[in-house]
Amino acid sequence: MADEDDIILSELDDDELVQQMHDDLYDGLKEEIEEAVNILVERGWTPYDILTKALVAGMTIVGNDFRDGILFVPEVLLAANAMKGGMAILKPMLVETGAPRMGKMVIGTVKGDIHDIGKNLVAMMMEGAGFEVVDIGINNPVENYLEAIEREQADILGMSALLTTTMPYMKVVIDTMKEKGIRDDYLVLVGGAPLNEEFGKAIGADAYCRDAAVSVEIAKEMVARKHNQMGA
Ligand code: B12
């Protein structure tokens, strides 16, 4: 492998640079990731392409090696930190689209779970699509969700879980909403790597969303449908 110090990111072509970003993300090199994101922006890449092709794709490699016991928590934390550095640069570009206001979403990761990259990505893309997003962070007990959706008069509740041990907590939140008679006042979207469509249905969510782009599509469609129903 070439000596890292010899690599000048701006001299790489697009494919080489993306490949290098996957390596740098793997190695948790935040500054290099930030520099590379800026280079791709200057080269005219869309924020969405940078997110998916460089950052999310790189994180998938990290995830696979974490799963296989090649990487451990400290390394993955560094990778996550580097990813967040890149996302922070892209956020204003995704958010300033001038899209018309679509509705309001409260989003948070469930109790016992501290994964927030996917949630943050969904929040950014939803803002970019014109939704107002209130992010209540990680490790949220049911009370936090209920308090936030009421306080914010939200249209959508979004819950994220990345662990098979924490995803059942989404049902606790939905069941509590049902008990309080407020379930149907909100669209409930759920997401996170271990979930699937079947799970979303089983816990009574309105939709499971595979990724941030799908979340935006589904949210737009459902909000439009709700408005039409109300208008009819
Ligand atoms: C980064 C990471 C960490 C970081 C988190 C840093 C951070 N700030 O988020 C750290 C190192 C802290 C971590 C810790 C742990 N982790 Co971890 N982690 C990951 C990893 C590698 C990547 C997750 C990620 O960010 N992906 C990138 C984003 C963009 O994708 P995403 O999260 O899936 O989000 C997208 C969609 O799912 C969807 N989405 C997500 N949320 C939402 C919400 C809504 C409302 C909607 C609509 C859509 C949506 O849209 C997103 C954007 O496209 C995954 C591997 C994997 N395959 O997912 C493991 C993984 C989730 N972790 C795992 C484990 C086991 C742990 C630990 C228990 C490890 C340990 N022994 O301590 C702890 C648990 C800590 C806790 N209590 O939460 C396991 C879970 C296994 C399981 N079956 O439950 C995984 C799958 C790795 C593995 N294969 O072993 N982890």
Side-chain angles (χ1 to χ4, degrees), residues 142-220:
V142 59
E143 301 79 37
N144 287 11
Y145 286 112
L146 297 189
E147 196 262 326
I149 50 178
E150 199 180 325
R151 180 187 68 230
E152 301 295 340
Q153 301 195 313
D155 305 290
I156 305 172
L157 169 62
M159 289 189 278
S160 182
L162 266 286
L163 299 171
T164 44
T165 48
T166 57
M167 61 189 228
Y169 195 75
M170 293 174 165
K171 184 167 185 312
V172 174
V173 177
I174 294 175
D175 285 350
T176 310
M177 290 170 81
K178 282 183 189 160
E179 276 164 30
K180 294 190 179 294
I182 58 167
R183 167 64 187 89
D184 294 336
D185 298 344
Y186 306 92
L187 291 170
V188 179
L189 304 184
V190 295
L195 279 64
N196 57 33
E197 190 118 23
E198 210 178 6
F199 174 80
K201 281 207 183 91
I203 63 168
D206 290 295
Y208 152 75
C209 309
R210 192 180 63 233
D211 60 31
V214 168
S215 306
V216 167
E217 274 168 37
I218 291 183
K220 275 185 177 167

Side-chain angles (χ1 to χ4, degrees), residues 56 59 62-64 66-68 72-74 76-77 80 83-84 105 107 112-119 121-122 157-166 189-194 208-213 215:
V56 175
M59 204 60 189
V62 171
N64 291 343
F66 187 32
R67 179 196 60 210
D68 297 342
F72 297 96
V73 169
V76 178
L77 262 179
M83 169 126 184
K84 284 184 176 182
M105 177 188 217
I107 190 167
D113 202 320
I114 62 166
H115 294 87
D116 67 355
I117 296 175
K119 165 186 72 62
L121 202 51
V122 172
L157 169 62
M159 289 189 278
S160 182
L162 266 286
L163 299 171
T164 44
T165 48
T166 57
L189 304 184
V190 295
Y208 152 75
C209 309
R210 192 180 63 233
D211 60 31
S215 306

